[in-house]
Amino acid sequence: MSDEAIYQGMLAFIDAGQASDAEFNAKALEIFAHQFEHNLPYRRFAMQRAKTPRSVRSWRDIPAVPINAFKDLTLSCRPAEESARIFMTSGTTRGGIRGQIHHTTLAVYDRSMIVNFRQRVMAGADRLPMAVLFPDEEAMPNSSLAHYLALALRMFGTEGSRHFIGADGLDIDGLFAALAAAERTGEPFALLGASYSFVHLMDAMERTGRRFALPDGSRILDTGGFKGQSRELEPDAFYGQLSARFGVPRGRCINMYGMTELSTQFYDDGNATCPSLKSGPHWIRSRVVNPLTGQDVPPGSVGVLVHHDLAHINSVAAILTEDAGILEADSGFRLLGRVAGADAKGCSLAVDDFLTAARG
Amino acid sequence: MAAVGSAEYAGHLPGLSADAVERRVLTFRGVGGAVEVAVPVLTAAQVARVAETVRAAAHGYLKTLTVAEIVTILDRAVARLLDRDDPWRQKAERLLPIVTGYDAEMVRLGLTGYLKTFRAPELRKFLAEDFASPQILDDFQPVPKGGFARAFGPDLLLHVWAGNVPALPLWSLVSGLLVKAGTVGKLPSAEPLFAGWFAQLLAEIDPRLGDCLAVVWWKGGDEAAERAWLAQADTVVAYGGNAALAAIRDRVPVTTRFLPHGHKISVALVSRAALDPRRVGEAARLAAHDIVRYDQQGCYSPQTLFVERGGRVSPRDFAGCLAHELAALARKFPRRELSMAEAGAVASWRDAQEMKGFADPGRLLLSDPAGGWCVGYTEAAEGPAPGGLNRTITVVAVDSLDEVAARLAPAKAFLQTAGIAASPEELFRLAGPLGAAGVTRICALGRMTAPEAGWHHDGRFNLLDLVTMTEIERSAEIAADGFARYAD
C-alpha cells in the first residue's frame, strides 16, 4: 500500500467517528504491516520478539516499543531527511538525552488533534477566547506540545487569543487583563498550558492576592506535569488551587495526557476527583502490562501503560510507556505516576542516584 | 492505628512498659504467607525516657564490663542464632523470607554464613583490626610515643539503618557494643525484625546488658522523630542513599559525630587466566552466585563485570556461560517478587540494552524471557554504571584488566568491592590502581556478598571511628612523680 493510501485511509478512519473492535484490529494490523516493512529498526525489534505481520492476528500482539528506544534509534518509516517535523522529548530522564520522533507529514497528527480536541475540550463550543501559557512554535520548533497548543489556538481560539509566554517570560499583566476582560464580558474563556506554568502563575497570584472568577463555561487545560520546572503539587492540591484561583470548577479543569512519542492525546472529563479517568478517541487503545513480560496484567491490577495509536503512522504505533496505570473496563485508565526510577531495597546504588551524582 | 492482635512486635524498648507504647503495623506478603510487624511509635517523652535508660544502663553496666566479657556475651547470642533448633533462629528462618521477599534457602544459607563471622574468634579479629591492644577499651594502655591511652565509646550511639538485606544492622550494632556504647538503633522499614530480635536475645542472656541498647522505629523522613533522636546521640551512624543522608546530616548537631554510609556500587574482574575451558565454568558460577545473592541489593553486589580478552574463552562466550549459570540459579533460588517500580527498572534497563544492540553489533543481550535475569554484553569502553538491579549485569570486554581502574575512577565516591579472578601477579599489580581509584575491598569472585570478619566497611575503621582517645601524656606522668608520697 502506498504511503498516500495509508495516510488517506487513516484520515477516513478518524473521520468515521467510531470503530468496532474488528475495524480497529484490521487497521492496526495494516499499520503494523506498513511499519514492519518500512521502519527497519522496528522490524528488527519485532523479529527479535518473533512478531511479524504473518504471525500477528490481534493488535494486542503487536510489539510495543519502549519509549527509551527513541533515544537510541531513529524509528521512522521514511529516511530522516524526509521528515517535515521532528519532535523531541524533554530529556528529563537519562542524563538529558532527548528522543526524536519523525513525522513526514503532520496531516494525520493535526486531524487527530483537532477532531479529539473539538470533542473533549471544546465540548460544543466553536471558538473560545484563549490564553496559552506556553512558548509558541517558533520558540520551540521541536516541541510537540508547542505545536499542539498553537493548533488549538489557530483552530479554536477567537480573534485576539494568543500565547502569554514569550521571550521575556510570562506576560502576567497581559494575562490578567485578558482574564479581567473575560470576567467583564461574561464570555467563557479557555486557559491552556503546561502544568508547571500554572504553578508559576498561581505563585505570582499568591504574592499579590489576585483571584479571578471566570464566567460559567470557562475551562482550564493543563498538561505535562511539573518536570522539575516548578514545585511539585499533588493533583488534589493542584486542581483545588486552580479552581480557587480562577473560579473554574474542578470538573472543568481538564488534564491532557499526551506524549511526544504519540500522535493522539488522552483527556479526562475534569478533575472533580483524582486520579481522574483518562480516555482517548476511537483510533487509540491502551493496555496495561507487566513491563518485564509485556503480557497484560489481570483486570484491575496496576501495570505499565502501552498505547496503540493508529495515527502515529511514520513512527511506531505501539508504545510501551514508563507510566503506571490501571485499566477501567472500556472507559479508560487511571494514571498513577511514573514507574521507572526504583530505589534499591538494599544499599546498592541505583541508576537514578548515580545519574543525580553524575550531574553534580 | 491498626489492631495488633497476632502481629510480631518489633524493636526493644528498655525503660518503657509494653502497653504504654503505640504501635503501627507494617504488613509484608511473600511466597510463604503474610506477616504483620508492629513497630513502635514513641512520643517525645518516651524517646527521652528510653535514651536516659540506655545511657544510664550503659554507664552503670556496659562500660564496666571488659571487652572480653562483652565478646563472650555476644558469642552466646550468635551461637543461639546459628543453632537451627533455637526458637530465635527458627523464627528468623520463617519470617525473614516473607518480610524481605528473598528465597528461604538463600536467607538460611546467607544467615549462617553471615552469623559465623560474629563468633568470638572473629570478634577478636574485629577488635585486633582496629586496636593494637583491645584492652585499650578497658583501661589505659602504654602507647609507643610514651604515656598511656584509653579508648572511650560514645555514651549514646544512634544507628540509622536502611535496606532489606537480612540482618545487615548486626555489623554496626555489634561494633557499637564492642566499644561499650549505649546503643539505639532505628529499624529499617524494609527489614524491621532482626535487630530487635538480637536485642531481645541479648536481654534474655544478660538482662542488664539488655537495658544498654534500644531498637526503635520511626518512619523514614519523619523529621520530628528524627530530630528527637539525633539530639540525644553523641555519635550517629547512618545508612542510606545520598539524599536521605544529606537530610540527616543537616539535622545532626554540629558537635555530634556523623558517620554516613552511602549506597555503593561494586564490580568484578575476570582475568584471561580464568578463561580457559577448564576454569571458565567455575568463574561464571562464582560470578552468578555474587549476582544472585540478595538480588544485587547489597553495596557489595557486582553490577558490572570486566572480562579480559585474549584467553581461550572470549568475553562474549563468558557472558554466555554466565547466562547459563544465572538460569540454573534462577531455578534453585528464584528471584524475589518485584514491585512494579523494580520490574519497570529491570525492563527499562533490559530494553535499553536491546535497543543499543540494534545499532551496535558489539553488543548482545541474553535474558530470560520473563526477565528473571539479564546479561548485557558490550565491547564499548564502558565504566561501572548501575544496571537495573535484581540480577541484571553488564559484561564489559576489555583488552587488559589494567584498563579497568581508570574506568572506575570517575565513580570513586561510590565504589566499594572488586571481586577478582586473576593470578597472584595480576592480583597485586591491579590492587594498587584499584585502591587508588576508590575500591576499598578486593575479594575473590564468589565471596563478594560475604565480607570477612573485621573488614573495613567502605574502607573506614568500624570501631576506631566510634571512639575517642583519652591520652595521658608523658609529661603528666613525670610531673606526677614529683607529687608522689615517695618523692624525695
Side-chain angles (χ1 to χ4, degrees), chain B residues 201-399:
Chain B
L201 174 55
L202 282 178
E204 206 175 291
I205 291 168
D206 181 346
R208 293 181 71 192
L209 183 63
D211 282 348
C212 302
L213 77 161
V215 177
V216 303
W217 182 87
W218 67 82
K219 188 162 167 38
D222 177 344
E223 202 180 320
E226 203 170 86
R227 277 188 197 281
W229 278 114
L230 292 172
Q232 294 286 348
D234 48 2
T235 302
V236 176
V237 179
Y239 298 81
N242 280 349
L245 292 178
I248 296 172
R249 184 191 55 196
D250 289 346
R251 291 169 198 156
V252 173
V254 70
T255 48
T256 301
R257 190 180 301 180
F258 180 58
L259 303 167
H261 287 283
H263 290 172
K264 291 291 190 287
I265 189 168
S266 294
V267 301
L269 288 76
V270 181
S271 147
R272 65 176 70 107
L275 295 172
D276 69 45
R278 192 166 50 86
R279 294 190 170 114
V280 69
E282 178 67 358
R285 194 182 62 75
L286 293 171
H289 173 86
D290 285 339
I291 294 163
V292 165
R293 174 68 72 85
Y294 301 134
D295 296 338
Q296 279 173 312
Q297 298 296 318
C299 42
Y300 41 46
S301 304
Q303 300 210 48
T304 306
L305 243 66
F306 296 95
V307 181
E308 199 173 36
R309 293 192 181 96
R312 289 176 59 203
V313 175
S314 70
R316 187 182 278 263
D317 289 340
F318 179 82
C321 295
L322 182 61
H324 175 79
E325 294 296 336
L326 286 172
L329 284 176
R331 285 188 291 277
K332 195 168 172 195
F333 301 115
R335 184 174 65 189
R336 43 183 261 287
E337 208 159 303
L338 301 187
S339 71
M340 190 54 64
E342 290 174 307
V346 170
S348 153
W349 180 86
R350 177 195 63 188
D351 295 342
Q353 300 297 313
E354 184 184 10
M355 298 300 150
K356 287 182 193 161
F358 290 156
D360 176 1
R363 283 181 186 273
L364 179 71
L365 174 72
L366 301 164
S367 87
D368 160 15
W373 52 266
C374 312
V375 178
Y377 167 80
T378 180
E379 288 166 4
E382 291 195 356
L389 298 178
N390 294 303
R391 310 191 186 187
T392 58
I393 186 88
T394 308
V395 171
V396 180
V398 292
D399 286 332

Side-chain angles (χ1 to χ4, degrees), chain A residues 41 44-46 48-49 65-66 68-69 72-73 94 289-294 297 302-304 320 322 324 339-351 353-354 357-358, chain B residues 163-164 168 241 263-265 296-299 303 335-336 338 340-348 350-352 354-359 369-371 384-387 389 411 414:
Chain A
R44 293 174 68 174
F45 175 81
Q48 186 116 341
R49 281 164 172 66
V65 171
N68 258 321
D72 295 309
L73 302 174
R94 236 182 74 192
V289 304
N290 173 326
L292 277 175
T293 62
V297 299
V302 176
V304 177
L320 171 64
E322 292 180 345
V339 169
D343 281 339
K345 289 265 188 232
C347 46
S348 70
L349 193 68
V351 181
D353 272 353
F354 190 74
Chain B
N164 76 341
L168 203 62
H263 290 172
K264 291 291 190 287
I265 189 168
Q296 279 173 312
Q297 298 296 318
C299 42
Q303 300 210 48
R335 184 174 65 189
R336 43 183 261 287
L338 301 187
M340 190 54 64
E342 290 174 307
V346 170
S348 153
R350 177 195 63 188
D351 295 342
E354 184 184 10
M355 298 300 150
K356 287 182 193 161
F358 290 156
L389 298 178
F414 294 110

Side-chain angles (χ1 to χ4, degrees), chain A residues 46-58:
Chain A
M47 298 208 6
Q48 186 116 341
R49 281 164 172 66
K51 305 281 190 195
T52 68
R54 274 174 179 282
S55 68
V56 170
R57 287 285 160 266
S58 161

